[in-house]
Amino acid sequence: ETGVTQTPRHLVMGMTNKKSLKCEQHLGHNAMYWYKQSAKKPLELMFVYSLEERVENNSVPSRFSPECPNSSHLFLHLHTLQPEDSALYLCASSQVLGLEQFFGPGTRLTVL
Amino acid sequence: GQQLNQSPQSMFIQEGEDVSMNCTSSSIFNTWLWYKQDPGEGPVLLIALYKAGELTSNGRLTAQFGITRKDSFLNISASIPSDVGIYFCAGRALNNNDMRFGAGTRLTVKP
């Protein structure tokens, strides 16, 4: 297994569901990131973790809850989402904060 | 705050043509990155630049770190259909760990 992996690749959920997105990096990096990518919009940084501590939370609604149990894994817990939350959710990692980021393939989320 | 302006937003070119896109910032950067994103996938790092004036190639792709440290350019020579995708610039300002991304340039190559 190489690079940054994300599961699931596709997810359809109702507004009352609870689901989690998983990201795993096999690069030995210390920083991990969650981004939201909506159609025709720039990448939106959601959360940043460095050495398992959250260092940035860009005014993200509380229905998105990140978790970083160790430097290789990052989760995004979802509950009571809205249709406008439908997007591609990208995970990335970097050796340390500020260095080039390597992205996973993303999870395509659809909220009905 | 740091703003990244990437242009053009989209390009429609004929196979074999050369392509040029650029990114400008409102502040001085010490890192410029160029990524490509294929449909349904995450961005893939193409080229990383760390010094003003640096010119780096990756196959048919060439990127430059502008002398003013406020811009960067990506050129693709002799385009082929698999060059289709969205190209993003990203950069980091001095004394700042935040990596900013441009809005992307969507490239379409007609055979």
Side-chain angles (χ1 to χ4, degrees):
Chain A
E1 195 74 77
T2 58
V4 182
T5 58
Q6 288 187 244
T7 54
R9 293 294 309 274
H10 301 272
L11 178 62
V12 179
M13 58 188 288
M15 289 191 284
T16 58
N17 291 160
K18 283 186 182 181
K19 296 286 184 183
S20 295
L21 309 184
K22 179 183 175 183
C23 176
E24 185 172 0
Q25 58 96 0
H26 310 270
L27 301 168
H29 288 171
N30 289 325
M32 295 188 78
Y33 312 77
W34 278 117
Y35 288 88
K36 176 184 178 184
Q37 188 179 37
S38 304
K40 300 188 178 179
K41 282 187 176 180
L43 282 170
E44 298 174 50
L45 180 63
M46 300 175 72
F47 301 104
V48 181
Y49 277 83
S50 177
L51 297 171
E52 300 142 49
E53 286 194 19
R54 192 191 309 182
V55 297
E56 190 160 341
N57 175 348
N58 281 348
S59 304
V60 179
S62 59
R63 56 186 184 269
F64 295 92
S65 173
E67 179 190 1
C68 188
N70 55 62
S71 59
S72 298
H73 293 86
L74 186 64
F75 294 89
L76 188 62
H77 304 298
L78 316 170
H79 66 98
T80 59
L81 294 192
Q82 305 297 311
E84 61 264 28
D85 296 323
S86 299
L88 182 68
Y89 287 84
L90 291 162
C91 172
S93 72
S94 63
Q95 191 173 7
V96 294
L97 284 178
L99 292 188
E100 57 268 29
Q101 294 174 24
F102 295 85
F103 286 84
T107 295
R108 171 67 62 186
L109 174 67
T110 303
V111 181
L112 302 176
Chain B
Q2 310 137 33
Q3 299 294 322
L4 282 193
N5 294 308
Q6 185 172 351
S7 65
Q9 277 189 309
S10 60
M11 302 183 75
F12 295 83
I13 62 168
Q14 207 70 40
E15 182 177 359
E17 289 182 1
D18 296 343
V19 172
S20 187
M21 59 191 80
N22 71 84
C23 228
T24 59
S25 66
S26 55
S27 49
I28 292 173
F29 277 24
N30 61 9
T31 301
W32 282 104
L33 308 173
W34 286 93
Y35 290 86
K36 182 195 178 194
Q37 185 175 24
D38 289 328
E41 299 292 332
V44 173
L45 183 64
L46 299 172
I47 294 176
L49 303 160
Y50 302 104
K51 290 192 326 188
E54 184 179 354
L55 187 72
T56 298
S57 293
N58 178 359
R60 292 176 295 104
L61 278 63
T62 302
Q64 184 164 23
F65 195 136
I67 292 290
T68 65
R69 304 176 76 181
K70 290 186 176 183
D71 56 8
S72 180
F73 306 86
L74 176 70
N75 295 315
I76 305 173
S77 62
S79 57
I80 59 178
S82 62
D83 290 334
V84 163
I86 303 176
Y87 291 81
F88 291 96
C89 64
R92 183 168 70 98
L94 288 174
N95 303 316
N96 193 311
N97 281 329
D98 291 348
M99 193 69 72
R100 301 293 177 182
F101 286 82
T105 295
R106 184 179 294 272
L107 179 64
T108 302
V109 180
K110 292 178 278 189

